[in-house]
Amino acid sequence: MENNSIISGDKPTVMVTNDDGIEGPGLLALVQVLVSTRRYNVLVCAPDTEQSAVSHCITWRHPIAAKQVHIDGATAYAVSGSPADCASLGISKTLFPSVPDLVISGINMGSNCGYHVVYSGTVAGAREAFLNGVPAISVSYDWVGAKSSINDFTLSAEACLPIINGVLAELRNKTYPQNCFLNIDLPANIANHKGYKLTKQGKSLIKMGWRQVTSDKAGGKMLSTMVMETDSTASTEINTSATSAEHLLFTREIRSGPVDEDDSDHRSLQEGYITVTPLGALSNVDIDCHAYLKEWLPNVAERLSASAL
């Protein structure tokens, strides 16, 4: 897909989506900053409810609804679908009259590094645009409870402007690479960040398990920041009236924190850098696994033939 507005010199069109929902503070801060520059046409196509950690799921079996909502300076729709649904609909020329020049998914409340990009609805929103040939960026802020504030989203959005402008400039010159999208993570202390750092996706992962509970209020709620909210007023909303005595209830719990690697996205983020990580859509295995299986697979067939005799 290609939008000719940026090539012709017109004001570029940027579409924003997310997984925290259209009322998420990160999305609203990002849109406000984009609009305030007066350099972009700003579109919003985002879920009407929180869709954190839904990964790249799509709606297939029933229609989705889109309702126009008011966000100053932008044309915005709240959609009853996943982040991938929103990205797909927003770039389809079905909801909006043209394809955006750039899709930005975020700003997420919580980082998305390492293996967490697999679970992330924020990253999936950008990936869906990328899969359909539209340049995309996913943006996440490393929210820390009791330390971070809503204003940090505004600072994060402002810190992303040089990257956004740089990408659009490369697109205008037709020199931007087409085989990746960018995943940006901003540190908790965004006001004193150490600058931009190109990183690679690491293998950091918060280990989670399950434990049985007796009610929907036991154990608290897992937030989009991958931490547990233990306040009972924020508990998960399970319809226990439809849960009979034969049903067992389970809730997720965190077992251990992420393990950092040298020069990975998560470690650099914790060191205070704004990490910029190019991502693709292929799930390539480590080369040593491929080499091992290249030797292993023919032997499997030989053993099967021998055992059949």
Side-chain angles (χ1 to χ4, degrees), residues 163-178:
I163 297 176
I164 295 169
N165 291 332
V167 169
L168 289 170
E170 296 299 320
L171 289 171
R172 183 178 292 108
N173 295 330
K174 295 188 176 182
T175 53
Y176 190 74
Q178 300 297 307

Side-chain angles (χ1 to χ4, degrees), residues 131-258:
L131 289 173
N132 286 278
V134 179
I137 303 172
S138 52
V139 184
S140 303
Y141 166 67
D142 189 22
W143 179 276
V144 177
K147 292 184 179 180
S148 298
S149 70
I150 297 301
N151 185 56
D152 289 324
F153 286 117
T154 299
L155 297 178
S156 295
E158 292 170 346
C160 287
L161 283 178
I163 297 176
I164 295 169
N165 291 332
V167 169
L168 289 170
E170 296 299 320
L171 289 171
R172 183 178 292 108
N173 295 330
K174 295 188 176 182
T175 53
Y176 190 74
Q178 300 297 307
N179 57 350
C180 70
F181 65 99
L182 299 182
N183 183 41
I184 299 175
D185 282 278
L186 301 115
N189 188 8
I190 182 61
N192 298 295
H193 69 81
K194 294 181 179 179
Y196 307 106
K197 186 174 183 180
L198 185 67
T199 57
K200 62 181 180 181
Q201 181 187 356
K203 298 179 180 180
S204 61
L205 178 67
I206 292 177
K207 299 291 186 179
M208 291 185 289
W210 294 91
R211 68 183 175 91
Q212 189 172 351
V213 295
T214 57
S215 74
D216 63 311
K217 292 186 177 181
K221 176 185 178 183
M222 184 68 74
L223 302 180
S224 60
T225 53
M226 300 296 283
V227 297
M228 185 67 73
E229 172 61 71
T230 55
D231 184 352
S232 62
T233 61
S235 60
T236 51
E237 296 180 1
I238 299 175
N239 183 10
T240 52
S241 63
T243 305
S244 71
E246 298 176 354
H247 290 81
L248 302 177
L249 294 178
F250 297 89
T251 186
R252 285 191 183 271
E253 62 179 5
I254 295 175
R255 298 284 173 84
S256 64

